[in-house]
Amino acid sequence: MARLLGGIGSSHVPAIGNAIEQNLQQDPYWKPFFAGYEPVWDWLEEKKPDVAILVYNDHGLNFFLDKMPTFAIGAASEYQNSDEGWGLKPLEPFPGHPPLSWHLINSLVNDEFDITSCQEMLVDHGFTVPMSLMWPDRKLTDQIKVIPVCVNVVQSPFPTANRCLRLGEAIGRAVESYGEDLDVVILGTGGLSHQLDGERAGFTNRAFDTEFLEKLTNEPEWLLQYSNHQLAELAGPQGVEMIMWLIMRGALGKEVKELSRNYHIPISNTAAGVILLEKTA
């Protein structure tokens, strides 16, 4: 049977990709940010998962405003990366795991989630930056299979925080019902608070981000009290991406232990965070 080992919440700011490409990890501006990932690297090296389910949002590369599925899951044998305009160097394709992808898709549809299945799928910085962060050695990245789960947090109406948490719970059930012996990790990416345009461009909210991180492990329902409009006010329009962290958290079930957490502000006008959670039952 497949096993969910744990989950990681992480920012996916495109500037992180440029910092990695330019080897700026020890630069004073970047060092406090990258230091937060050291426990994650150690944990992933110890656990050596076979598959990573990566929850992110597309930024106009694979889907655009005229066609924007609420939830889309990749079912391809590999995922091509292409630069969508941030100046990032395109990476080599990432290997997929079609059998588990189709199992997830069928299981989620049976759980009454409407899923767009993608037998071909381009991936942008929302996907590649977390992969580069979690597995800095590309050789290790090539050894792990990936399943992209794309969530619409770009064009209203977005899914609610509650819907995302429930989707995560359904993903957790689907993984654990898969017959092959696999170790799986799930990544929820995006955020934290940030606003990229308008009168509040550059807005971040340390207090709100901190409370979100503190509640995520044992009280993930805390975020459900806010509508997406309220989240946009509290965390910025792009900060609504934090609802994707709830998908990661929901997949892990009730028995979860926080192993590490880091918060750094700002990274390219964004509040950036990482949290490592291990499933304990």
Side-chain angles (χ1 to χ4, degrees):
M1 301 292 287
R3 296 166 296 280
L4 259 172
L5 303 176
I8 303 160
S10 174
S11 301
H12 63 213
V13 182
I16 299 167
N18 278 322
I20 293 172
E21 186 176 336
Q22 297 172 33
N23 294 314
L24 298 177
Q25 292 89 336
Q26 298 302 313
D27 182 89
Y29 180 84
W30 286 102
K31 187 173 182 178
F33 169 78
F34 282 102
Y37 287 82
E38 293 174 1
V40 177
W41 300 333
D42 292 341
W43 185 82
L44 288 170
E45 174 61 27
E46 175 191 349
K47 299 298 182 181
K48 293 182 172 58
D50 303 298
V51 179
I53 299 171
L54 201 157
V55 183
Y56 76 110
N57 60 292
D58 184 85
H59 298 80
L61 176 64
N62 202 66
F63 306 113
F64 199 59
L65 303 183
D66 58 339
K67 297 179 182 68
M68 186 64 67
T70 301
F71 301 120
I73 296 181
S77 59
E78 67 175 23
Y79 299 96
Q80 298 280 344
N81 170 225
S82 182
D83 175 20
E84 78 279 22
W86 293 100
L88 299 177
K89 180 181 178 181
L91 303 177
E92 293 298 314
F94 294 82
H97 196 297
L100 181 54
S101 288
W102 283 115
H103 177 78
L104 289 178
I105 291 166
N106 287 316
S107 181
L108 293 174
V109 169
N110 287 335
D111 264 341
E112 301 190 347
F113 286 90
D114 298 319
I115 301 297
T116 298
S117 56
C118 301
Q119 297 184 61
E120 293 183 0
M121 197 172 189
L122 297 173
V123 291
D124 65 17
H125 77 268
F127 178 96
T128 62
V129 166
M131 289 299 294
S132 298
L133 267 174
M134 304 304 151
W135 291 276
D137 184 344
R138 178 66 207 216
K139 291 180 181 179
L140 296 177
T141 307
D142 290 340
Q143 293 172 11
I144 191 166
K145 309 296 185 184
V146 295
I147 298 177
V149 177
C150 192
V151 180
N152 171 30
V153 289
V154 175
Q155 175 163 275
S156 183
F158 308 149
T160 63
N162 181 67
R163 189 64 169 164
C164 287
L165 186 62
R166 304 312 162 206
L167 176 66
E169 293 170 350
I171 289 174
R173 292 191 294 270
V175 169
E176 293 180 354
S177 68
Y178 187 65
E180 186 179 350
D181 185 20
L182 292 173
D183 288 331
V184 181
V185 64
I186 183 167
L187 280 60
T189 76
L192 295 166
S193 64
H194 63 298
Q195 180 160 338
L196 301 180
D197 52 15
E199 293 182 0
R200 292 200 311 173
F203 169 81
T204 56
N205 188 339
R206 179 187 291 270
F208 185 77
D209 291 336
T210 300
E211 190 162 11
F212 169 68
L213 290 170
E214 289 175 348
K215 299 288 189 182
L216 187 61
T217 302
N218 295 316
E219 299 177 59
E221 294 85 0
W222 173 83
L223 197 68
L224 308 191
Q225 65 185 296
Y226 301 107
S227 69
N228 284 331
H229 288 290
Q230 291 171 318
L231 286 177
E233 180 66 26
L234 289 165
Q238 288 76 39
V240 175
E241 291 174 352
M242 65 175 57
I243 64 176
M244 295 187 290
W245 292 42
L246 287 184
I247 297 176
M248 174 275 292
R249 176 60 190 87
L252 302 182
K254 295 189 180 299
E255 302 299 322
V256 175
K257 177 172 62 175
E258 179 185 318
L259 299 183
S260 71
R261 183 200 320 171
N262 186 58
Y263 182 77
H264 185 64
I265 192 169
I267 287 295
S268 188
N269 292 326
T270 302
V274 60
I275 193 169
L276 171 60
L277 305 177
E278 186 171 74
K279 186 175 172 65
T280 58

